[in-house]
Amino acid sequence: MTIYEFAEQIIYEAGQNIKNKLALELTIETKSNPNDLVTNMDKETEQLLVERINQAYPDHHIIGEEGHGKEVDTLDGVVWIIDPIDGTLNFVHQQQNFAISIGIFKDGEKYAGLVYDVMNDNLYHAIAGEGAYLNDMKLGALADTTLKRSIISLNPNWLTKDWIKDVYTPIVKDARSARSYGSAALDFVFVAAGIVDSYMTLRLHPWDFAGGMIIAEETGAVVSNQMGETLHPLQSNSIIVANQQLHREIVSGYLSRYEKELTELHQGMFSSR
């Protein structure tokens, strides 16, 4: 069994465990703010994944949102970057629109990405260089779009924040429409699948984007921070993922006007993960 096949096996196992326990009462805690939630199921899912990986590959390194491997500061060897439940707020309130995300790197290179939309039983997955899939169906290459003919995804809360509303409001106005799904991992794979044309946010951690980044890039999407710079898998960052033409249009035509503010934001908020 390859590492990739093993990752598929354990992500399905973790998803089934979540579904088996949906009727049980959750223990809910807050982290950085009242809307930043973590549940006992987040912790249990991460523990399950970590235990399986450690049993099969004791020399691999793991970074998980809920505390495992935060001291990992290099991509040497094999590194797993895990979000056990991406979209915890959706999980708590809706019991849907959440995903398990896994990104795997080998000696600094992207190896595989997996994002499991648990309640729809949809696994988005990719090996770097071999294309991306939704379950058994290969995803096609993304077509280019212009902003006025594109659906973009972003959190509407950003439109209420100080200078950030000045950055995003013109983009929303000029787009065909805007959506908010509440799960970064799903937003990435929705771009890969052509469900939306771009996803933008000013704040993501490695576990939020590691798996989805690899999948989206396999369909030809461009993934960068909002200054157009390549993402580092171990650093928090702003994000824009889009087909090539749309990425170029948004970065050069809209975001570049705020290079100073974006640079200061990155320096102040994302100097580390």
Side-chain angles (χ1 to χ4, degrees), residues 75 105 108-110 209 213 217 222-240 247 251 266:
L75 290 174
F105 296 79
E109 300 296 327
K110 297 162 188 166
F209 65 78
M213 172 178 66
E217 288 181 341
V222 180
V223 182
S224 74
N225 68 21
Q226 293 190 9
M227 295 181 290
E229 299 168 339
T230 301
L231 301 182
H232 190 292
L234 297 183
Q235 294 178 348
S236 299
N237 231 308
S238 65
I239 296 287
I240 174 170
H247 185 280
V251 171
H266 282 76

Coordinates of all heavy atoms in Angstrom, one line a residue, residues 75 105 108-110 209 213 217 222-240 247 251 266:
L75 N 10.2 20.9 6.2 CA 9.5 19.9 5.3 C 10.4 18.7 5.0 O 10.1 17.9 4.1 CB 9.0 20.5 4.1 CG 7.8 21.5 4.2 CD1 7.5 22.2 2.9 CD2 6.6 20.8 4.8
F105 N 3.7 16.1 2.2 CA 4.9 16.7 1.5 C 6.0 15.7 1.7 O 6.2 15.1 2.8 CB 5.2 18.0 2.0 CG 4.2 19.1 1.7 CD1 3.0 19.1 2.5 CD2 4.3 20.0 0.7 CE1 2.0 20.1 2.2 CE2 3.3 20.9 0.4 CZ 2.2 20.9 1.2
G108 N 10.2 18.4 1.1 CA 9.9 19.8 0.6 C 9.0 19.9 -0.6 O 8.7 21.0 -1.0
E109 N 8.7 18.8 -1.2 CA 7.9 18.8 -2.5 C 6.5 18.3 -2.2 O 6.3 17.5 -1.3 CB 8.5 17.9 -3.5 CG 9.9 18.2 -3.9 CD 10.0 19.6 -4.6 OE1 9.1 20.0 -5.3 OE2 11.1 20.3 -4.4
K110 N 5.5 18.9 -2.9 CA 4.1 18.5 -2.7 C 4.0 17.0 -3.2 O 4.5 16.7 -4.3 CB 3.2 19.4 -3.6 CG 3.3 20.8 -3.1 CD 2.7 21.7 -4.2 CE 2.9 23.2 -3.8 NZ 2.7 24.1 -4.9
F209 N -5.1 25.0 4.2 CA -4.9 25.1 2.7 C -4.0 24.0 2.2 O -4.0 23.8 0.9 CB -4.4 26.5 2.3 CG -3.0 26.8 2.8 CD1 -1.9 26.3 2.2 CD2 -2.8 27.7 3.8 CE1 -0.6 26.7 2.6 CE2 -1.6 28.1 4.2 CZ -0.4 27.6 3.6
M213 N -4.7 23.1 -1.7 CA -3.7 23.7 -2.6 C -3.2 22.7 -3.6 O -3.2 23.0 -4.8 CB -2.6 24.3 -1.8 CG -1.4 24.8 -2.6 SD -0.1 25.5 -1.6 CE 0.5 24.0 -0.8
E217 N -4.1 23.0 -7.7 CA -3.1 23.2 -8.6 C -3.0 22.2 -9.7 O -2.6 22.4 -10.8 CB -1.7 23.3 -7.9 CG -1.5 24.6 -7.1 CD -0.2 24.7 -6.4 OE1 0.5 23.6 -6.2 OE2 0.2 25.8 -6.0
V222 N -4.2 28.7 -10.0 CA -3.0 29.4 -9.5 C -3.4 29.7 -8.0 O -4.4 30.3 -7.7 CB -2.8 30.7 -10.2 CG1 -1.6 31.5 -9.6 CG2 -2.5 30.5 -11.7
V223 N -2.5 29.3 -7.1 CA -2.6 29.5 -5.7 C -1.5 30.4 -5.2 O -0.3 30.1 -5.4 CB -2.6 28.2 -4.9 CG1 -2.9 28.4 -3.4 CG2 -3.7 27.2 -5.5
S224 N -1.8 31.5 -4.5 CA -0.8 32.4 -4.0 C -1.4 33.2 -2.8 O -2.6 33.1 -2.5 CB -0.4 33.4 -5.1 OG -1.4 34.4 -5.3
N225 N -0.5 34.0 -2.2 CA -1.0 35.0 -1.3 C -1.6 36.1 -2.1 O -1.5 36.2 -3.3 CB 0.0 35.4 -0.2 CG 1.1 36.2 -0.8 OD1 1.1 36.8 -1.9 ND2 2.2 36.2 0.0
Q226 N -2.1 37.1 -1.5 CA -2.8 38.2 -2.2 C -1.9 39.2 -2.8 O -2.3 40.2 -3.4 CB -3.9 38.8 -1.3 CG -5.0 37.7 -1.1 CD -6.3 38.3 -0.5 OE1 -6.4 39.5 -0.3 NE2 -7.1 37.4 -0.1
M227 N -0.6 39.0 -2.6 CA 0.4 39.8 -3.3 C 1.0 39.0 -4.5 O 1.9 39.5 -5.1 CB 1.5 40.2 -2.4 CG 1.0 41.2 -1.3 SD 2.3 41.7 -0.1 CE 2.6 40.2 0.8
G228 N 0.4 37.9 -4.8 CA 0.8 37.1 -5.9 C 2.0 36.2 -5.6 O 2.6 35.6 -6.5
E229 N 2.4 36.1 -4.3 CA 3.6 35.3 -4.0 C 3.3 33.9 -3.7 O 2.2 33.6 -3.2 CB 4.3 36.0 -2.8 CG 4.7 37.4 -3.0 CD 5.1 38.1 -1.7 OE1 4.7 37.7 -0.6 OE2 5.8 39.1 -1.8
T230 N 4.2 33.0 -3.9 CA 4.0 31.6 -3.7 C 3.8 31.3 -2.2 O 4.5 31.9 -1.3 CB 5.3 30.8 -4.1 OG1 5.4 31.0 -5.5 CG2 5.1 29.3 -3.9
L231 N 3.0 30.4 -1.8 CA 2.7 30.1 -0.4 C 3.8 29.1 0.1 O 4.3 28.3 -0.6 CB 1.4 29.4 -0.3 CG 0.1 30.1 -0.7 CD1 -1.1 29.3 -0.5 CD2 0.0 31.5 0.0
H232 N 4.1 29.3 1.4 CA 5.0 28.3 2.1 C 4.1 27.4 2.9 O 3.2 27.9 3.7 CB 6.0 29.0 3.0 CG 7.0 28.1 3.5 ND1 6.8 27.1 4.4 CD2 8.4 28.0 3.3 CE1 7.9 26.5 4.7 NE2 8.8 27.0 4.0
P233 N 4.2 26.1 2.7 CA 3.2 25.2 3.4 C 3.3 25.2 4.9 O 2.4 24.7 5.6 CB 3.7 23.8 2.9 CG 4.4 24.1 1.7 CD 5.1 25.4 1.8
L234 N 4.3 25.8 5.5 CA 4.4 25.9 7.0 C 4.1 27.3 7.6 O 4.3 27.5 8.7 CB 5.8 25.4 7.5 CG 6.1 24.0 7.1 CD1 7.5 23.6 7.7 CD2 5.1 23.0 7.7
Q235 N 3.6 28.2 6.7 CA 3.4 29.5 7.2 C 2.0 29.9 6.9 O 1.4 29.6 5.8 CB 4.3 30.5 6.5 CG 5.8 30.3 6.9 CD 6.7 31.3 6.1 OE1 6.3 32.0 5.2 NE2 8.0 31.3 6.6
S236 N 1.4 30.6 7.8 CA 0.0 31.2 7.6 C 0.1 32.3 6.6 O 1.2 32.9 6.4 CB -0.5 31.8 8.9 OG -0.6 30.8 9.9
N237 N -1.0 32.5 5.9 CA -0.9 33.5 4.8 C -2.3 34.0 4.4 O -3.3 33.4 4.8 CB -0.3 32.9 3.6 CG 0.9 33.7 3.0 OD1 0.6 34.9 2.8 ND2 2.0 33.2 2.9
S238 N -2.4 35.0 3.6 CA -3.6 35.3 2.9 C -3.6 34.4 1.7 O -2.6 33.8 1.3 CB -3.6 36.8 2.4 OG -2.5 37.0 1.5
I239 N -4.8 34.3 1.0 CA -5.0 33.4 0.0 C -5.8 34.0 -1.2 O -6.8 34.6 -1.0 CB -5.7 32.1 0.5 CG1 -4.9 31.4 1.5 CG2 -6.1 31.2 -0.7 CD1 -3.7 30.6 1.0
I240 N -5.4 33.7 -2.4 CA -6.3 33.7 -3.6 C -6.0 32.5 -4.4 O -4.8 32.2 -4.7 CB -6.1 35.1 -4.4 CG1 -7.0 35.0 -5.6 CG2 -4.7 35.4 -4.7 CD1 -7.1 36.3 -6.4
H247 N -7.1 35.0 -11.7 CA -6.1 35.3 -10.7 C -5.3 36.5 -11.1 O -5.1 37.4 -10.3 CB -5.1 34.1 -10.6 CG -4.1 34.2 -9.5 ND1 -2.9 34.9 -9.7 CD2 -4.1 33.7 -8.2 CE1 -2.2 34.9 -8.5 NE2 -2.9 34.2 -7.6
V251 N -5.4 40.0 -8.9 CA -4.2 40.5 -8.3 C -3.7 41.8 -8.9 O -3.4 42.7 -8.2 CB -3.1 39.4 -8.4 CG1 -1.8 39.9 -7.9 CG2 -3.5 38.2 -7.5
H266 N 0.7 41.1 6.4 CA 1.5 39.9 6.4 C 2.6 40.0 7.4 O 2.8 39.0 8.2 CB 2.1 39.6 5.0 CG 1.1 39.0 4.1 ND1 0.1 39.8 3.5 CD2 0.9 37.8 3.6 CE1 -0.6 39.0 2.7 NE2 -0.2 37.8 2.8

